[in-house]
Amino acid sequence: MANCMVFHTQIASIMEVLANAAVAEICKLVDDDYAVFRLEITQSQKENRALRRKLLELKVARERAERTIPERVLASRPSSVKILDRYRGMARGEGHLTGGHRSFVKPAEHNTWRDDQPITVDEGSGTSTQHVIVIESADAESAGPGVKQERSDGKDDLWRSRDIQTGVPPVITEVPTTAPAQPRTQRSITEVSGTPNVVLKSQTDTKTLTVTHRLLHTGSDPERLGKLGCPAPGSEYLPVFLQSQRTVNSYGDGDVLDTGGDDPSCSYATEMDSSNMPLGLETQTDLSRGDWNQYSSSVYSEGCLDEKGEVIVIDEVTVKVEGDAPPTWNADSHLGDGHSQGTSFLDYRGSLETNPNVPTLSTLHTLRDRDPVSMSMGPSDSHGHVLFNQVLNSNDTARAQAQEGGATSGNSKEKRFLCMFCNKGFSCPKKVEIHQRVHTGVKPFNCTQCHMRFAQAGDLKKHQRVHTGEKPYSCTQCEKRFSRQDHLKMHLKVHTGERPFACTHCGKRFSERRYLRIHQQKNHSTL
DNA sequence: CTGGGGACGGGGCCC
DNA sequence: AGGGCCCCGTCCCCA
């Protein structure tokens, strides 16, 4: 019995020892694994820190490089920008390319908004039955080798997606407008192809901005593409501009290269600061207000509407800022036909505050260099601003004011196609497109004899008589000849003594309005 | 010499 | 595409 008790005691002791040993072993294993795990974590953290440091260095280096672009170089290189345009889907893919650097954009397989996945957006506030926008994909490979493709990370995607879904423009704050409501018979944008509409690439100091504009209609076959023209009355074209690119780099003063902030995955992605955007198209489409037709066609594209008016036009404008670009605006396209879809520099800063009809506060400045030789396309903010204000304060504003609300007033013709900048209305997308060149500064028509560029073909034709010396209009009174009919008409006042402009204060009459204006300013300015 | 006015050429823009 | 108008810059003339 005693032996039995001793035996049990020994067994219990052995069991305890074994159990302790097992626990110790387990603890050891856990400790070892934990140590390894901690080591791995530490290494990962170190790698992350190193990557962040590199990223930061890259940002700083890039900003520094862009800051150090000599202004004199820019001044001698007014055209550091190439506007690329491409129509897609012309006649189902035959492609009516309107010229320029078409090869710059290639079919896309990736999306800078969200990889390989179109964003479907519900407009939300509308009352119509269709509320879908599909953001097309962008090509990450189109820039060729060496090009670093930047795309948004998930956080940014969420941000953009949220903005779209709520109908809030991603950049600009909206200002309430009393502009009449736009026709809203159509609120559906369907994806037409998988080709890109948003591309942001960067290669050293080369940046590419692709902006897609869509011209929509309510036709039954939205994919039919054709030649742009004025749609037949009653057709339902709804030009739409999609703010498709938030990020852009340019020759800034270094003040614009917010390279993504806390977004380490977007080393080249730059927040487009509305007040600080040196280059690019900054537009907005207020989905909530249904301003679907604020933008028509592309900035300068020739547009594509077929005769039946059942067309969706999807075109792209790629703004390529090339640090090594030649000083000419469109070296490879301005020569020749004079109708090349040339280049232009788009730079919007500030606002269209001078125009009361502006429905949005797009921050628009432009470097509308009237002298392509001497004027810099560089970060001459004040210069560009002055020029832009010149434009607005002279022609545009005066005319917009004269039209009392621009777009929607005073014309029996239906002008449903509104300028997205000044809200002026036009009867067809083509006219809107041409008109909007006033704001965008796009001048597709280049003189082959000089560096002059024009927004309209007729202007180029007029200008070319400067070179040719052609003066087809002769005065019947004095044999004097003129290159333009309106000049002849003005000249005829010399013979007729016509002075239609009378001063309301002193009665003095003038042959031209400007003389009257100058006269009144100098002599009756206090009145 | 200076300033006002006229003439002309040119660009911009709309119709 | 062309016409027409507006605006501006420049040059010239003349008081």
Side-chain angles (χ1 to χ4, degrees):
Chain A
M1 187 61 183
N3 288 339
C4 186
M5 289 293 289
V6 171
F7 179 71
H8 278 288
T9 303
Q10 287 177 344
I11 288 179
S13 298
I14 292 171
M15 291 285 286
E16 185 176 351
V17 169
L18 289 175
N20 289 337
V23 168
E25 185 72 18
I26 291 171
C27 290
K28 184 175 182 300
L29 288 173
V30 169
D31 288 342
D32 290 346
D33 290 345
Y34 178 66
V36 172
F37 187 54
R38 279 190 59 182
L39 183 62
E40 290 176 354
I41 289 176
T42 303
Q43 288 176 346
S44 297
Q45 288 175 341
K46 285 181 180 178
E47 289 174 359
N48 284 340
R49 278 195 291 270
L51 288 173
R52 285 179 184 172
R53 250 197 315 274
K54 283 184 179 179
L55 184 63
L56 193 62
E57 289 171 359
L58 284 173
K59 290 178 184 176
V60 172
R62 188 184 56 166
E63 292 180 8
R64 205 172 288 156
E66 297 202 11
R67 280 199 194 98
T68 55
I69 292 173
E71 212 163 311
R72 62 181 183 276
V73 174
L74 295 175
S76 65
R77 305 187 328 185
S79 175
S80 58
V81 178
K82 294 180 179 180
I83 305 291
L84 308 183
D85 187 9
R86 187 183 70 157
Y87 282 104
R88 289 179 284 120
M90 283 292 297
R92 297 186 186 281
E94 287 83 356
H96 170 63
L97 302 183
T98 56
H101 316 262
R102 303 164 193 161
S103 61
F104 217 74
V105 179
K106 295 179 180 179
E109 295 177 354
H110 301 285
N111 194 331
T112 56
W113 289 61
R114 180 166 297 182
D115 257 356
D116 300 324
Q117 186 176 8
I119 300 173
T120 300
V121 181
D122 190 346
E123 181 190 5
S125 61
T127 57
S128 62
T129 56
Q130 302 177 43
H131 311 282
V132 177
I133 292 176
V134 177
I135 306 299
E136 292 175 302
S137 61
D139 186 7
E141 301 171 354
S142 59
V147 173
K148 182 175 182 178
Q149 167 71 20
E150 296 298 337
R151 43 177 276 257
S152 318
D153 63 0
K155 181 181 177 181
D156 207 11
D157 284 345
L158 288 174
W159 181 86
R160 298 179 186 184
S161 177
R162 182 169 61 249
D163 282 341
I164 294 172
Q165 288 173 352
T166 56
V168 176
V171 177
I172 312 301
T173 56
E174 185 68 17
V175 171
T177 177
T178 57
Q182 311 306 320
R184 299 187 63 172
T185 57
Q186 167 73 25
R187 295 203 181 98
S188 174
I189 307 172
T190 55
E191 185 174 24
V192 174
S193 70
T195 51
N197 71 343
V198 180
V199 176
L200 177 63
K201 296 181 283 293
S202 179
Q203 181 174 13
T204 60
D205 58 349
T206 298
K207 293 91 184 176
T208 299
L209 167 63
T210 298
V211 183
T212 293
H213 317 280
R214 299 181 179 185
L215 187 61
L216 305 177
H217 78 119
T218 56
S220 57
D221 184 3
E223 294 193 7
R224 292 193 56 204
L225 302 174
K227 183 180 181 180
L228 178 64
C230 295
S235 61
E236 297 285 355
Y237 292 96
L238 293 176
V240 170
F241 174 82
L242 290 179
Q243 171 63 48
S244 57
Q245 181 60 62
R246 295 176 50 234
T247 61
V248 64
N249 296 326
S250 180
Y251 295 133
D253 292 330
D255 56 343
V256 297
L257 294 175
D258 175 10
T259 55
D262 56 353
D263 182 2
S265 69
C266 295
S267 61
Y268 282 82
T270 303
E271 280 288 332
M272 183 180 288
D273 186 342
S274 61
S275 64
N276 221 356
M277 183 174 59
L279 166 67
L281 299 172
E282 183 177 39
T283 58
Q284 59 179 328
T285 301
D286 184 359
L287 305 181
S288 64
R289 289 194 300 112
D291 291 340
W292 290 92
N293 53 349
Q294 285 194 351
Y295 200 89
S296 161
S297 184
S298 70
V299 172
Y300 66 88
S301 62
E302 290 305 314
C304 304
L305 288 183
D306 68 3
E307 296 179 356
K308 295 183 179 181
E310 294 181 352
V311 173
I312 278 185
V313 171
I314 294 181
D315 45 5
E316 297 177 355
V317 174
T318 298
V319 180
K320 181 184 179 185
V321 184
E322 292 181 306
D324 297 326
T328 57
W329 277 68
N330 192 7
D332 57 346
S333 66
H334 82 281
L335 302 173
D337 59 5
H339 294 270
S340 57
Q341 294 302 315
T343 60
S344 185
F345 186 90
L346 310 178
D347 186 83
Y348 303 105
R349 295 174 199 171
S351 68
L352 285 173
E353 55 200 4
T354 56
N355 191 331
N357 297 321
V358 176
T360 64
L361 275 184
S362 300
T363 57
L364 301 178
H365 285 218
T366 183
L367 293 178
R368 298 188 58 180
D369 54 330
R370 298 189 177 197
D371 182 355
V373 176
S374 63
M375 291 184 61
S376 168
M377 301 308 298
S380 174
D381 292 352
S382 60
H383 196 167
H385 188 80
V386 168
L387 285 172
F388 188 64
N389 285 338
Q390 282 178 351
V391 173
L392 289 178
N393 291 329
S394 58
N395 297 339
D396 296 350
T397 305
R399 293 181 183 177
Q401 289 172 346
Q403 291 174 5
E404 288 291 334
T408 54
S409 67
N411 198 324
S412 59
K413 279 188 175 181
E414 191 175 10
K415 294 183 175 181
R416 70 176 70 184
F417 300 95
L418 305 182
C419 171
M420 64 171 296
F421 299 99
C422 67
N423 211 31
K424 185 177 181 180
F426 295 88
S427 57
C428 71
K430 177 68 175 177
K431 291 182 179 178
V432 178
E433 172 210 331
I434 293 174
H435 161 76
Q436 285 182 156
R437 292 172 185 164
V438 173
H439 306 293
T440 63
V442 171
K443 296 178 178 178
F445 303 98
N446 302 334
C447 178
T448 59
Q449 307 295 319
C450 65
H451 292 295
M452 288 296 295
R453 306 174 305 278
F454 301 90
Q456 299 185 22
D459 292 339
L460 172 61
K461 191 172 183 178
K462 280 195 300 189
H463 162 77
Q464 284 178 330
R465 287 176 183 162
V466 174
H467 301 301
T468 63
E470 180 187 4
K471 294 184 176 181
Y473 305 100
S474 59
C475 176
T476 58
Q477 306 292 324
C478 67
E479 304 299 328
K480 203 167 175 29
R481 303 184 69 86
F482 299 89
S483 62
R484 286 164 42 172
Q485 192 172 10
D486 56 328
H487 287 169
L488 172 60
K489 185 179 179 179
M490 190 67 69
H491 165 76
L492 286 175
K493 292 179 180 178
V494 175
H495 301 299
T496 62
E498 180 184 2
R499 291 172 179 266
F501 304 100
C503 176
T504 57
H505 305 294
C506 66
K508 189 173 175 60
R509 305 187 70 89
F510 301 89
S511 60
E512 296 185 33
R513 189 189 307 276
R514 58 175 300 210
Y515 301 147
L516 171 61
R517 185 178 299 116
I518 294 172
H519 163 79
Q520 288 181 333
Q521 286 176 351
K522 289 182 178 178
N523 301 302
H524 310 293
S525 60
T526 57
L527 297 178

